[in-house]
Every structure is written in structure tokens, then in C-alpha cells.
Amino acid sequence: MITTYLNTLKSKGNFTIETISNLSGIPEATVKNIFSGKTEDPRFETVSAIVKAMGGSLDAIYDITKKEAIECLKPGETFKSVRVITAIEGK
């Protein structure tokens, strides 16, 4: 689901991997691996920077509120971590 959304944003905005890398500050190889699906569980911070660089919304990727994301995330946690914590806490 992450790669589908990211690739949709990329196509709609006519972004290149290089442009996304430059705008987000994420290394080009990392961006390429995320977009190709090679990185199966990218870090929240990384995807957040990429989505922001393309003008997208994190809420569109996962049905979580900003408050939940702030409450659940710690440095280094991934989207899967957020989903598990959110499910356990019933948010």
C-alpha cells in the first residue's frame, strides 16, 4: 500500500527519484528501494519526509490521526509499529 500511494504521488507530480531525494533529503538509493518495494518496512521518518516532499498526506497511507502518530511513535519505529500499537490500544 505504501509503494502504491508513493508511486501515485510520484506520477501525479511528475517527480523523479532524484528530485524526491533532493526535496526530502533522503538518499537516492533509499528512495529507489522504497518506491520499488525492495524496502518492505521503511522507517516512519523516511516515508514522512518523502510524502511531505511530494505534497502528500500520511493519513492517506494509514488511517491514523496525527495525534495517534505522535502518541505512538518513538524514533526508529516503523509504520507497522504504529499499526500494531494503534490496534492494541484500540485507537
Short mmCIF file of all heavy atoms in Angstrom, two decimals, residues 27-61:
data_model
loop_
_atom_site.label_atom_id
_atom_site.label_comp_id
_atom_site.label_asym_id
_atom_site.label_seq_id
_atom_site.Cartn_x
_atom_site.Cartn_y
_atom_site.Cartn_z
N PRO A 27 18.60 9.73 0.90
CA PRO A 27 19.49 9.27 -0.17
C PRO A 27 18.72 8.63 -1.33
O PRO A 27 17.72 7.94 -1.13
CB PRO A 27 20.38 8.23 0.52
CG PRO A 27 20.36 8.61 1.95
CD PRO A 27 18.98 9.18 2.20
N GLU A 28 19.21 8.89 -2.54
CA GLU A 28 18.55 8.41 -3.75
C GLU A 28 18.35 6.89 -3.74
O GLU A 28 17.29 6.39 -4.12
CB GLU A 28 19.36 8.83 -4.97
CG GLU A 28 18.60 8.72 -6.27
CD GLU A 28 19.33 9.37 -7.43
OE1 GLU A 28 20.01 10.39 -7.24
OE2 GLU A 28 19.19 8.83 -8.55
N ALA A 29 19.34 6.14 -3.29
CA ALA A 29 19.22 4.68 -3.26
C ALA A 29 18.09 4.24 -2.32
O ALA A 29 17.34 3.31 -2.63
CB ALA A 29 20.54 4.05 -2.82
N THR A 30 17.95 4.93 -1.20
CA THR A 30 16.89 4.61 -0.25
C THR A 30 15.52 4.90 -0.86
O THR A 30 14.60 4.09 -0.76
CB THR A 30 17.06 5.42 1.06
OG1 THR A 30 18.34 5.12 1.61
CG2 THR A 30 15.96 5.11 2.06
N VAL A 31 15.40 6.05 -1.51
CA VAL A 31 14.14 6.41 -2.17
C VAL A 31 13.80 5.36 -3.22
O VAL A 31 12.66 4.88 -3.28
CB VAL A 31 14.23 7.82 -2.81
CG1 VAL A 31 12.98 8.12 -3.62
CG2 VAL A 31 14.44 8.88 -1.74
N LYS A 32 14.77 4.99 -4.03
CA LYS A 32 14.55 3.99 -5.08
C LYS A 32 14.08 2.65 -4.47
O LYS A 32 13.14 2.03 -4.98
CB LYS A 32 15.83 3.79 -5.88
CG LYS A 32 15.69 2.83 -7.03
CD LYS A 32 16.98 2.74 -7.82
CE LYS A 32 16.83 1.76 -8.97
NZ LYS A 32 18.08 1.63 -9.74
N ASN A 33 14.72 2.22 -3.40
CA ASN A 33 14.35 0.96 -2.75
C ASN A 33 12.94 1.00 -2.18
O ASN A 33 12.21 0.01 -2.23
CB ASN A 33 15.36 0.59 -1.67
CG ASN A 33 16.68 0.14 -2.23
OD1 ASN A 33 16.78 -0.29 -3.38
ND2 ASN A 33 17.73 0.25 -1.44
N ILE A 34 12.55 2.12 -1.63
CA ILE A 34 11.19 2.25 -1.08
C ILE A 34 10.17 2.23 -2.20
O ILE A 34 9.17 1.51 -2.13
CB ILE A 34 11.07 3.52 -0.22
CG1 ILE A 34 11.89 3.36 1.06
CG2 ILE A 34 9.60 3.82 0.12
CD1 ILE A 34 12.03 4.62 1.89
N PHE A 35 10.41 2.98 -3.27
CA PHE A 35 9.46 3.04 -4.38
C PHE A 35 9.33 1.71 -5.11
O PHE A 35 8.27 1.40 -5.63
CB PHE A 35 9.84 4.16 -5.35
CG PHE A 35 9.29 5.50 -4.95
CD1 PHE A 35 9.95 6.27 -4.01
CD2 PHE A 35 8.11 5.99 -5.49
CE1 PHE A 35 9.45 7.50 -3.61
CE2 PHE A 35 7.60 7.21 -5.10
CZ PHE A 35 8.28 7.97 -4.16
N SER A 36 10.40 0.94 -5.14
CA SER A 36 10.36 -0.34 -5.83
C SER A 36 9.76 -1.45 -4.97
O SER A 36 9.44 -2.52 -5.45
CB SER A 36 11.77 -0.75 -6.26
OG SER A 36 12.55 -1.10 -5.13
N GLY A 37 9.64 -1.17 -3.66
CA GLY A 37 9.12 -2.18 -2.75
C GLY A 37 10.22 -3.05 -2.16
O GLY A 37 9.95 -3.95 -1.37
N LYS A 38 11.46 -2.80 -2.54
CA LYS A 38 12.58 -3.58 -2.01
C LYS A 38 12.70 -3.41 -0.50
O LYS A 38 12.98 -4.35 0.22
CB LYS A 38 13.88 -3.17 -2.69
CG LYS A 38 15.07 -4.01 -2.30
CD LYS A 38 16.30 -3.64 -3.11
CE LYS A 38 17.48 -4.48 -2.68
NZ LYS A 38 18.70 -4.12 -3.43
N THR A 39 12.46 -2.19 -0.02
CA THR A 39 12.41 -1.93 1.42
C THR A 39 10.96 -2.16 1.84
O THR A 39 10.10 -1.35 1.54
CB THR A 39 12.85 -0.49 1.75
OG1 THR A 39 14.17 -0.29 1.26
CG2 THR A 39 12.79 -0.22 3.24
N GLU A 40 10.71 -3.27 2.51
CA GLU A 40 9.34 -3.67 2.84
C GLU A 40 8.73 -2.90 3.99
O GLU A 40 7.51 -2.72 4.04
CB GLU A 40 9.31 -5.17 3.14
CG GLU A 40 9.65 -6.03 1.94
CD GLU A 40 9.64 -7.50 2.27
OE1 GLU A 40 9.13 -7.90 3.34
OE2 GLU A 40 10.15 -8.28 1.45
N ASP A 41 9.53 -2.45 4.92
CA ASP A 41 9.01 -1.77 6.11
C ASP A 41 9.86 -0.53 6.40
O ASP A 41 10.63 -0.50 7.35
CB ASP A 41 9.04 -2.74 7.30
CG ASP A 41 8.31 -2.20 8.52
OD1 ASP A 41 7.49 -1.27 8.37
OD2 ASP A 41 8.55 -2.72 9.62
N PRO A 42 9.70 0.50 5.56
CA PRO A 42 10.53 1.69 5.74
C PRO A 42 10.21 2.42 7.04
O PRO A 42 9.10 2.34 7.56
CB PRO A 42 10.17 2.56 4.53
CG PRO A 42 8.83 2.09 4.10
CD PRO A 42 8.75 0.64 4.46
N ARG A 43 11.19 3.14 7.54
CA ARG A 43 11.02 3.90 8.77
C ARG A 43 10.00 5.02 8.56
O ARG A 43 9.90 5.60 7.48
CB ARG A 43 12.35 4.48 9.21
CG ARG A 43 13.35 3.41 9.61
CD ARG A 43 14.65 4.01 9.95
NE ARG A 43 14.47 4.64 11.26
CZ ARG A 43 15.46 4.89 12.08
NH1 ARG A 43 16.67 4.59 11.76
NH2 ARG A 43 15.23 5.47 13.24
N PHE A 44 9.27 5.31 9.60
CA PHE A 44 8.24 6.34 9.55
C PHE A 44 8.83 7.68 9.12
O PHE A 44 8.28 8.37 8.27
CB PHE A 44 7.56 6.48 10.92
CG PHE A 44 6.49 7.53 10.94
CD1 PHE A 44 5.20 7.21 10.56
CD2 PHE A 44 6.77 8.82 11.32
CE1 PHE A 44 4.21 8.17 10.55
CE2 PHE A 44 5.78 9.79 11.32
CZ PHE A 44 4.50 9.46 10.93
N GLU A 45 9.97 8.03 9.72
CA GLU A 45 10.59 9.31 9.42
C GLU A 45 10.95 9.43 7.95
O GLU A 45 10.83 10.51 7.36
CB GLU A 45 11.86 9.52 10.27
CG GLU A 45 11.61 9.61 11.75
CD GLU A 45 11.67 8.24 12.45
OE1 GLU A 45 11.66 7.18 11.79
OE2 GLU A 45 11.71 8.24 13.68
N THR A 46 11.39 8.35 7.37
CA THR A 46 11.80 8.35 5.96
C THR A 46 10.60 8.54 5.05
O THR A 46 10.61 9.40 4.17
CB THR A 46 12.51 7.02 5.61
OG1 THR A 46 13.61 6.84 6.51
CG2 THR A 46 13.00 7.02 4.18
N VAL A 47 9.55 7.76 5.27
CA VAL A 47 8.35 7.88 4.45
C VAL A 47 7.71 9.25 4.65
O VAL A 47 7.25 9.88 3.69
CB VAL A 47 7.34 6.75 4.73
CG1 VAL A 47 6.04 6.96 3.97
CG2 VAL A 47 7.96 5.40 4.36
N SER A 48 7.72 9.73 5.88
CA SER A 48 7.15 11.04 6.16
C SER A 48 7.86 12.12 5.35
O SER A 48 7.21 12.99 4.75
CB SER A 48 7.28 11.34 7.66
OG SER A 48 6.82 12.62 7.96
N ALA A 49 9.18 12.08 5.31
CA ALA A 49 9.94 13.08 4.54
C ALA A 49 9.64 12.99 3.05
O ALA A 49 9.49 14.01 2.37
CB ALA A 49 11.44 12.89 4.79
N ILE A 50 9.51 11.78 2.55
CA ILE A 50 9.21 11.58 1.12
C ILE A 50 7.82 12.08 0.78
O ILE A 50 7.62 12.79 -0.20
CB ILE A 50 9.39 10.09 0.74
CG1 ILE A 50 10.87 9.71 0.80
CG2 ILE A 50 8.81 9.80 -0.64
CD1 ILE A 50 11.14 8.23 0.67
N VAL A 51 6.85 11.71 1.59
CA VAL A 51 5.47 12.14 1.36
C VAL A 51 5.37 13.67 1.42
O VAL A 51 4.75 14.30 0.56
CB VAL A 51 4.50 11.47 2.37
CG1 VAL A 51 3.12 12.10 2.30
CG2 VAL A 51 4.41 9.98 2.10
N LYS A 52 5.99 14.26 2.42
CA LYS A 52 5.97 15.72 2.57
C LYS A 52 6.62 16.39 1.37
O LYS A 52 6.10 17.40 0.86
CB LYS A 52 6.70 16.11 3.85
CG LYS A 52 6.69 17.60 4.13
CD LYS A 52 7.39 17.92 5.43
CE LYS A 52 7.41 19.42 5.66
NZ LYS A 52 8.09 19.76 6.90
N ALA A 53 7.72 15.84 0.88
CA ALA A 53 8.41 16.42 -0.27
C ALA A 53 7.53 16.44 -1.52
O ALA A 53 7.64 17.34 -2.35
CB ALA A 53 9.69 15.63 -0.56
N MET A 54 6.62 15.47 -1.62
CA MET A 54 5.74 15.39 -2.78
C MET A 54 4.38 16.02 -2.52
O MET A 54 3.50 15.99 -3.38
CB MET A 54 5.57 13.93 -3.22
CG MET A 54 6.84 13.31 -3.73
SD MET A 54 6.56 11.69 -4.50
CE MET A 54 6.05 10.71 -3.09
N GLY A 55 4.17 16.59 -1.33
CA GLY A 55 2.92 17.25 -1.02
C GLY A 55 1.78 16.32 -0.68
O GLY A 55 0.61 16.69 -0.79
N GLY A 56 2.10 15.11 -0.26
CA GLY A 56 1.07 14.12 0.07
C GLY A 56 0.69 14.14 1.54
O GLY A 56 1.11 15.01 2.30
N SER A 57 -0.12 13.16 1.92
CA SER A 57 -0.63 13.06 3.28
C SER A 57 -0.32 11.69 3.86
O SER A 57 -0.60 10.66 3.24
CB SER A 57 -2.14 13.28 3.29
OG SER A 57 -2.70 12.91 4.53
N LEU A 58 0.22 11.66 5.07
CA LEU A 58 0.45 10.40 5.75
C LEU A 58 -0.86 9.71 6.10
O LEU A 58 -0.95 8.49 6.12
CB LEU A 58 1.28 10.62 7.02
CG LEU A 58 2.72 11.05 6.80
CD1 LEU A 58 3.37 11.37 8.13
CD2 LEU A 58 3.50 9.99 6.05
N ASP A 59 -1.88 10.49 6.37
CA ASP A 59 -3.19 9.92 6.68
C ASP A 59 -3.73 9.09 5.54
O ASP A 59 -4.49 8.15 5.75
CB ASP A 59 -4.19 11.02 7.04
CG ASP A 59 -3.84 11.75 8.32
OD1 ASP A 59 -3.08 11.18 9.13
OD2 ASP A 59 -4.30 12.87 8.51
N ALA A 60 -3.33 9.42 4.33
CA ALA A 60 -3.80 8.66 3.16
C ALA A 60 -3.16 7.29 3.10
O ALA A 60 -3.71 6.37 2.49
CB ALA A 60 -3.50 9.43 1.88
N ILE A 61 -2.00 7.13 3.73
CA ILE A 61 -1.32 5.83 3.72
C ILE A 61 -1.93 4.92 4.77
O ILE A 61 -2.27 3.78 4.51
CB ILE A 61 0.19 5.99 3.96
CG1 ILE A 61 0.83 6.78 2.82
CG2 ILE A 61 0.86 4.62 4.08
CD1 ILE A 61 2.29 7.06 3.01
#
